[in-house]
Amino acid sequence: MHGTSEPVVSMLREKLKRKPRKSESTEARHRGGTTRSSVETAVMAAERRGRVIHVFSDWSTIAIWEESNIKTKPFSISKQVVWEAWQKVKANQGAAGVDEESIADFEKNLKNNLYRIWNRMSSGTYFPPPVLMVKIPKATGGERTLGIPTVSDRVAQMVAKMYLEPVVDPQFHEDSYGYRPKKSAIEAVEQARQRCWRNDWVVDIDVKAFFDKIDHTLMLHAVRKHTECKWLLLYIERWLKVSAMEQDGKPIERTSGTPQGGVASPLLANIFLHHAFDSWMAKEYPRIPFERYADDIVVHCRTYKQAVFILSQIKHRIERCKLQLNTEKTKIVYCRDSNRLENHEHQSFDFLGFTFRPRCAMKDRSEHFVSFSPAISRRASKEIVSEIRKWHIHSMSDKNIDDLSRMYNPMVRGWVNYYGQFYKSALYPVFKALNNRLIRWVRKKYKRHKHQRKATRWLRRLARREPKLFAHWQCGAYP
């Protein structure tokens, strides 16, 4: 048996003879799809082809036999892609879905689980389980509903995304920045800043409940413009129409939308808005610039009259696509600065965690002027302070300062690297909360520094001596 011992072969043959359970079956009578094309074994390492049993020690060796055997399936899906999809899902982590199976639980039976996903997707018999709907509070009030797929479904969606994204991404508009490779939110904010300096008006667009209201027929029509791959269209339709389940187990039938939280949802949202907004703007109003990050859209106009006209046209276009603008959040903003001195109702807007508004700036360290620029928003500041409070640093007297640095500096560095890109001094009041917690930690840790003034002086000396210990010290936010 080409290097395979007789006991192992006997054991594998016995497993292949086992009648699969109904829950594992891919047959049409159990799952409502087309008949499977091969036996779905209980062990990922074994695959039967006639009288030959192929044994594989690792997923990384699948390419050797994949080319000759994949023709037996109605859909050609690479096992290597399934493996890579799992690696990405594992790196992203995430909560368990309706089956309460975590990433760690899924990994305990990894070969079997990955094989089952590949076999069913290749056979056309993969049916996504219900999505767990979880409500989380919004910073602006109210609740946002997230849809959490199971781990196996996240892997399946990642497989579809890895096949579809390279096809559609090169066709997207250059000013579409959300959830795209080699594009970032910082690039979108920088572009918006430059255009606010050149244009007097901004139309701040907010689409109401975008992810919940996408029309399935229009969504599939948009996807078909980019691919004719039958299995991609089949599974995208199933993901769009899959039922949902509340945390108490109550089922929810879905007739529109794509679950916010699904792996494929951001890509599908980009495809939809590419046709609903980006391409339409490029065709109808090619001289009017904009930035779009998912459903967050900023449009730049020369005059107020132009802004009013564009807003009315966008509203009509969005309604034709069976969506609505949020009239409370959608607004026309005047970009006031030293050269634009009019007063209007709205003179600021939020975009990707930054607030654009008139701010004091300095030229050549001597001349002061007013610039319409972005800085960390009030909402983002509150979220950071709330997160710092949850750490309870002042109660960790059993830790030393190096321990605290290893535990929290990566997160602090992330905040500094993102929000510190523009108007860095706006971060100083935010990180005052972290410095205050560190001062309280010093007072509890060292008896000789139990007084506020002594603890502050000690921490300030440390910050100037070792500024790299915490990222916010490096940007000048000293105690």
Side-chain angles (χ1 to χ4, degrees):
M1 293 301 293
H2 305 288
T4 305
S5 64
E6 193 63 27
V8 173
V9 174
S10 300
M11 178 184 70
L12 291 174
R13 284 176 174 164
E14 287 298 319
K15 288 183 177 291
L16 291 170
K17 291 178 183 178
R18 179 178 68 84
K19 185 177 180 180
R21 295 187 294 272
K22 183 175 180 178
S23 61
E24 296 177 351
S25 176
T26 58
E27 295 181 9
R29 62 190 178 92
H30 291 323
R31 302 296 293 172
T34 58
T35 306
R36 63 188 181 184
S37 58
S38 67
V39 176
E40 183 169 304
T41 70
V43 180
M44 180 62 213
E47 178 77 4
R48 187 164 183 161
R49 295 290 182 263
R51 293 186 177 182
V52 180
I53 298 176
H54 301 271
V55 181
F56 307 97
S57 60
D58 197 296
W59 264 85
S60 61
T61 62
I62 58 176
I64 299 174
W65 59 272
E66 185 172 48
E67 183 176 354
S68 61
N69 288 332
I70 201 152
K71 296 179 181 178
T72 62
K73 299 288 186 181
F75 300 134
S76 296
I77 300 175
S78 169
K79 282 189 175 182
Q80 182 66 37
V81 173
V82 177
W83 169 254
E84 293 173 3
W86 152 249
Q87 296 285 0
K88 292 184 178 182
V89 170
K90 180 182 177 182
N92 293 335
Q93 291 299 312
V98 293
D99 59 359
E100 299 182 353
E101 183 180 47
S102 65
I103 294 287
D105 295 333
F106 184 90
E107 196 169 15
K108 290 177 182 178
N109 195 17
L110 183 60
K111 290 184 178 180
N112 185 25
N113 288 332
L114 293 181
Y115 179 81
R116 186 180 293 115
I117 293 169
W118 172 83
N119 191 36
R120 291 177 179 174
M121 291 188 75
S122 301
S123 303
T125 58
Y126 178 79
F127 288 83
V131 177
L132 179 64
M133 307 306 289
V134 177
K135 294 183 179 180
I136 61 174
K138 286 185 177 181
T140 55
E143 293 180 327
R144 174 185 287 112
T145 302
L146 295 182
I148 303 178
T150 62
V151 176
S152 60
D153 195 42
R154 295 208 291 272
V155 175
Q157 289 190 39
M158 185 65 76
V159 171
K161 179 182 177 182
M162 291 172 67
Y163 274 96
L164 183 59
E165 188 172 58
V167 176
V168 300
D169 189 77
Q171 302 176 43
F172 287 158
H173 195 281
E174 63 180 357
D175 285 318
S176 169
Y177 295 89
Y179 309 109
R180 293 184 59 190
K182 299 181 181 180
K183 291 277 190 176
S184 70
I186 288 297
E187 290 178 318
V189 175
E190 173 61 29
Q191 186 68 274
R193 181 175 73 152
Q194 295 288 337
R195 287 171 174 167
C196 283
W197 291 343
R198 296 193 296 266
N199 298 273
D200 293 356
W201 297 89
V202 160
V203 182
D204 183 18
I205 302 293
D206 186 270
V207 182
K208 187 176 182 179
F210 170 70
F211 282 91
D212 298 331
K213 300 296 183 181
I214 294 177
D215 183 80
H216 289 167
T217 302
L218 293 179
M219 181 76 257
L220 290 170
H221 178 69
V223 174
R224 288 191 184 99
K225 290 187 176 184
H226 296 277
T227 181
E228 296 180 357
C229 180
K230 292 182 179 180
W231 70 266
L232 277 173
L233 295 172
L234 173 67
Y235 293 132
I236 287 173
E237 183 174 7
R238 289 180 183 175
W239 280 315
L240 288 174
K241 297 181 178 180
V242 68
S243 61
M245 184 179 295
E246 293 183 354
Q247 289 179 289
D248 60 2
K250 182 180 177 181
I252 305 172
E253 290 300 323
R254 298 175 54 255
T255 57
S256 63
T258 176
Q260 190 173 359
V263 173
S265 292
L267 179 59
L268 295 178
N270 271 338
I271 293 174
F272 188 91
L273 283 173
H274 171 73
H275 295 282
F277 183 82
D278 301 352
S279 296
W280 172 78
M281 281 287 292
K283 180 181 178 182
E284 299 294 331
Y285 309 103
R287 295 184 178 181
I288 296 182
F290 67 89
E291 297 85 36
R292 182 178 66 81
Y293 194 97
D295 58 333
D296 291 335
I297 306 172
V298 173
V299 181
H300 303 270
C301 299
R302 292 285 186 178
T303 65
Y304 179 75
K305 183 178 179 180
Q306 186 185 56
V308 172
F309 172 76
I310 287 297
L311 177 56
S312 65
Q313 295 302 303
I314 292 174
K315 181 180 179 181
H316 180 65
R317 173 64 178 177
I318 293 297
E319 289 175 350
R320 284 187 59 193
C321 296
K322 300 184 179 181
L323 294 169
Q324 288 184 328
L325 295 184
N326 188 328
T327 55
E328 295 181 358
K329 295 182 179 180
T330 298
K331 57 187 177 182
I332 297 175
V333 180
Y334 180 61
C335 303
R336 192 175 190 274
D337 60 18
S338 293
N339 298 318
R340 297 174 288 200
L341 302 177
E342 298 177 19
N343 287 311
H344 292 272
E345 180 182 4
H346 299 294
Q347 296 183 163
S348 69
F349 68 93
D350 285 4
F351 184 54
L352 302 178
F354 292 88
T355 295
F356 286 71
R357 67 172 179 83
R359 299 179 187 278
C360 182
M362 184 180 295
K363 183 179 180 181
D364 299 329
R365 296 186 177 183
S366 58
E367 183 182 350
H368 291 267
F369 66 99
V370 176
S371 173
F372 193 84
S373 301
I376 184 172
S377 67
R378 181 177 297 181
R379 183 193 310 175
S381 298
K382 288 182 177 180
E383 289 176 355
I384 291 177
V385 172
S386 177
E387 181 66 24
I388 291 172
R389 287 172 178 169
K390 291 178 183 177
W391 295 347
H392 298 289
I393 292 177
H394 60 282
S395 301
M396 299 182 180
S397 55
D398 59 319
K399 301 285 193 290
N400 59 43
I401 195 69
D402 292 327
D403 294 331
L404 298 179
S405 175
R406 282 191 296 269
M407 292 168 64
Y408 301 114
N409 201 40
M411 190 173 295
V412 176
R413 186 181 297 112
W415 291 329
V416 171
N417 290 343
Y418 184 74
Y419 294 109
Q421 292 291 324
F422 308 100
Y423 217 82
K424 189 179 293 184
S425 60
L427 285 172
Y428 296 169
V430 177
F431 288 124
K432 184 178 180 181
L434 178 55
N435 286 330
N436 288 340
R437 291 298 185 282
L438 289 172
I439 290 170
R440 290 179 64 184
W441 172 84
V442 173
R443 295 176 64 188
K444 285 194 174 185
K445 177 74 173 180
Y446 304 107
K447 291 183 178 180
R448 65 181 181 275
H449 300 310
K450 65 179 180 179
H451 295 295
Q452 178 83 14
R453 186 177 298 177
K454 288 185 177 181
T456 303
R457 287 176 178 174
W458 182 88
L459 194 65
R460 186 178 296 127
R461 288 195 299 269
L462 177 66
R464 296 187 182 280
R465 187 172 65 251
E466 299 183 43
K468 294 183 179 180
L469 203 58
F470 287 95
H472 67 293
W473 291 349
Q474 287 182 274
C475 73
Y478 291 116

